[in-house]
């Protein structure tokens, strides 16, 4: 946040930092990241793919509990933690791969709980019986980035979130739907992902270049 006089101006979300470094994982990096989770622990893979496939914030992913997952309808519920004074729950659809992984983690957690401590709802991501904190969660995700050979400003949990936004718009997800999935307060925030160069722009540019080359060769 920046302050000018008595007014507070929210910092603008960006896809590139001040050094022109990309802040989102691209399509090729997404594939490498998914492949790297296959050699990770169940819990690490589940957390990483939750961020990749849902676009949630790290804090939201770590707050996931067993009751957050609807394996039948294939969606996950998040409380939008950015809106601290508003109890807003959003439902985000997830693919079969993640649904099965989370169901497996829920089953494992259920078996670990003793009959004495067993209850209907429990944190999915735990470390020595306690909910995983942001530092540990961040470290788990960075280990997968390292396995995938992805380095740079985009190799962060926020890079996965931004990558989800870019990928969703390029795949044809309507802006208002993406806004809901990502828990943005304003659709203007969601629209930033439309600034990333898409497949259509590349195809148009390639046609332009081919015409240019053809003219030079004539």
């Amino acid at each position: 946040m920046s302050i000018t006089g008595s007014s507070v101006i929210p910092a603008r979300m960006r896809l590139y930092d001040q050094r022109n470094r990309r802040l989102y994982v691209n399509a090729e990096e997404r594939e490498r990241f998914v492949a790297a989770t296959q050699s990770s622990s169940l819990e690490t893979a589940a957390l990483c793919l939750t961020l990749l496939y849902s676009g949630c914030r790290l804090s939201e992913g770590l707050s996931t509990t067993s009751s957050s997952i609807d394996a039948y309808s294939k969606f996950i519920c998040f409380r939008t933690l950015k809106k601290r004074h508003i109890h807003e729950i959003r439902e985000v659809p997830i693919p079969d791969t993640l649904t099965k992984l989370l169901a497996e983690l829920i089953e494992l957690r259920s078996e670990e709980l003793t009959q004495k401590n067993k209850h209907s709802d429990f944190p999915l991501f735990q470390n020595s019986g306690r909910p995983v904190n942001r530092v540990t969660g961040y470290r788990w995700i960075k280990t997968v980035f390292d396995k995938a050979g992805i380095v740079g400003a985009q190799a962060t949990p926020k890079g996965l979130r931004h990558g989800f936004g870019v990928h969703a718009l390029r795949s044809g997800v309507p802006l208002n739907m993406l806004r809901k999935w990502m828990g943005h307060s304003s659709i203007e925030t969601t629209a930033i992902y439309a600034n990333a160069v898409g497949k259509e722009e590349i195809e148009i540019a390639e046609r332009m270049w081919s015409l240019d080359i053809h003219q030079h060769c004539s």
Side-chain angles (χ1 to χ4, degrees), residues 145-198:
F145 273 120
D146 290 342
K147 284 182 182 180
I150 302 170
V151 296
Q154 78 278 23
T156 65
K158 184 163 281 190
L160 293 174
R161 177 169 164 81
H162 287 334
F164 172 83
V166 172
H167 181 67
L169 280 187
R170 287 181 176 175
S171 301
V173 175
L175 203 60
N176 62 333
M177 188 178 295
L178 181 58
R179 174 195 174 187
K180 173 195 169 189
W181 290 354
M182 300 194 74
H184 289 152
S185 298
S186 168
I187 201 163
E188 284 75 17
T189 301
T190 317
I192 190 70
Y193 297 118
N195 290 334
V197 175

Side-chain angles (χ1 to χ4, degrees), residues 82-114:
K82 200 74 178 281
K83 302 175 182 178
R84 300 189 185 280
H85 303 296
I86 303 174
H87 186 72
E88 179 179 296
I89 301 296
R90 66 185 194 273
E91 297 176 346
V92 182
I94 53 176
D96 285 340
T97 304
L98 180 55
T99 303
K100 292 175 182 177
L101 204 61
L102 291 172
E104 187 178 345
L105 184 56
I106 289 173
E107 184 177 354
L108 176 64
R109 284 282 171 264
S110 297
E111 292 173 355
E112 290 174 346
L113 293 172
T114 64

Side-chain angles (χ1 to χ4, degrees), residues 1-14 18:
M1 302 283 282
S2 59
I3 301 177
T4 305
S6 60
S7 61
V8 179
I9 303 172
R12 187 170 187 268
M13 192 176 72
R14 296 173 300 180
Q18 293 179 339

Side-chain angles (χ1 to χ4, degrees), residues 38-108:
Q38 296 175 7
S39 59
S40 302
S41 69
L42 170 62
E43 197 167 26
T44 296
L47 178 61
C48 288
L49 294 182
T50 294
L51 268 65
L52 180 88
Y53 286 128
S54 74
C56 71
R57 301 172 179 89
L58 175 58
S59 54
E60 294 170 344
L62 291 173
S63 298
T64 303
T65 66
S66 55
S67 64
S68 303
I69 315 302
D70 188 326
Y72 180 78
S73 299
K74 299 178 186 176
F75 67 75
I76 184 169
C77 295
F78 297 107
R79 180 186 173 192
T80 305
L81 298 179
K82 200 74 178 281
K83 302 175 182 178
R84 300 189 185 280
H85 303 296
I86 303 174
H87 186 72
E88 179 179 296
I89 301 296
R90 66 185 194 273
E91 297 176 346
V92 182
I94 53 176
D96 285 340
T97 304
L98 180 55
T99 303
K100 292 175 182 177
L101 204 61
L102 291 172
E104 187 178 345
L105 184 56
I106 289 173
E107 184 177 354
L108 176 64

